Amino acid sequence: MKKELYQMHADMCKVFSNCVRLEILNLLREGELTVSKLVDKSGLTQVNISQHLSIMKSKGMVTSKRKGLNIYYKLSNPKIIKAFDIIREVLSERLTENKKLLGK
Amino acid sequence: MKKELYQMHADMCKVFSNCVRLEILNLLREGELTVSKLVDKSGLTQVNISQHLSIMKSKGMVTSKRKGLNIYYKLSNPKIIKAFDIIREVLSERLTENKKLLGK
DNA sequence: TAAATATATTCGAATATTCTAATATATATG
DNA sequence: CATATATATTAGAATATTCGAATATATTTA
């Protein structure tokens, strides 16, 4: 398999490597939201949310459309949430194992 | 959902955000391999492979066992490859779309 | 067109990641 | 025990990421 493809893959995965972006992706799971809704729901600053949305848009993970003053963002591909959930499962299973080990 | 969980999730995803680690994970897809096998198959240096294996071990993505001089590494959870593959699909679909756009 | 609202961009300091060079450790074997 | 082999660790320069402060832009409405 080509190194170049691994690099593109890694670049796409960098989106998942930040907790703000993960929170945004998770908030977009049910459908599109405006920037201000994302700000409200996350409690993060508008600037920070916009910065991360910009990164995710450039990586092709989200798309946006303007309606008046608002801009709606949504996931570009529903598989993104599948990936999110599988990694959550790996994490959960790991945490469960750690608990078991502590219980012994 | 808790911020702390997003952080742990992001930390786990950092494993996927590097092309060397992705290559290692992909090489381990069929089963365990020694460090030197990974070096041979990837063409990367031993030191670099060991560094990345160490990172992945600390994040709980791989486990290892020694047999004589060799140390065998394997994926800690088969879901890791599912996540790998889903992200590859998102990437492929994105590349296909880009091609279409160029073709127009 | 001026003001209000929603969103984006730029800059820079703090922090984190990556690779290479050098070296260390663990195990097996003569 | 000395040597060879396999693997791990450390240090540090180069590079990348992150966030907040300040500011800019786009759209609507009075």
Side-chain angles (χ1 to χ4, degrees), chain A residues 34-51:
Chain A
T34 64
V35 177
S36 25
K37 273 287 171 202
L38 288 167
V39 170
D40 290 347
K41 286 175 182 253
S42 68
L44 298 165
T45 66
Q46 178 268 316
V47 167
N48 202 209
I49 293 285
S50 277
Q51 284 169 334

Side-chain angles (χ1 to χ4, degrees), chain A residues 81-90, chain B residues 79 82-83 86:
Chain A
I81 281 300
K82 275 182 73 180
F84 179 102
D85 288 342
I86 285 171
I87 295 165
R88 257 307 149 96
E89 280 179 47
V90 174
Chain B
K79 283 174 184 164
K82 275 182 73 179
I86 284 171

Side-chain angles (χ1 to χ4, degrees), chain A residues 18-28 33-53 56, chain B residues 1-4 6:
Chain A
N18 174 283
C19 58
V20 174
R21 292 193 291 266
L22 286 174
E23 182 162 6
I24 293 173
L25 291 175
N26 196 41
L27 288 170
L28 294 178
L33 287 175
T34 64
V35 177
S36 25
K37 273 287 171 202
L38 288 167
V39 170
D40 290 347
K41 286 175 182 253
S42 68
L44 298 165
T45 66
Q46 178 268 316
V47 167
N48 202 209
I49 293 285
S50 277
Q51 284 169 334
H52 285 292
L53 284 171
M56 291 201 278
Chain B
M1 221 174 248
K2 272 188 210 140
K3 302 277 180 190
E4 198 182 276
Y6 284 118

Side-chain angles (χ1 to χ4, degrees), chain B residues 32-89:
Chain B
E32 61 185 15
L33 288 174
T34 63
V35 177
S36 25
K37 273 289 171 199
L38 288 167
V39 170
D40 290 348
K41 285 175 183 253
S42 67
L44 298 164
T45 66
Q46 178 268 315
V47 167
N48 202 209
I49 292 285
S50 276
Q51 284 169 333
H52 285 292
L53 284 170
S54 164
I55 289 167
M56 291 201 280
K57 198 174 172 185
S58 74
K59 307 271 185 187
M61 303 293 261
V62 299
T63 59
S64 64
K65 69 166 177 249
R66 183 181 276 275
K67 278 187 196 168
L69 277 180
N70 296 294
I71 299 185
Y72 288 80
Y73 280 86
K74 66 174 180 185
L75 301 177
S76 65
N77 189 323
K79 283 174 184 164
I80 291 165
I81 282 301
K82 275 182 73 179
F84 179 103
D85 288 342
I86 284 171
I87 295 165
R88 258 306 149 96
E89 280 179 47

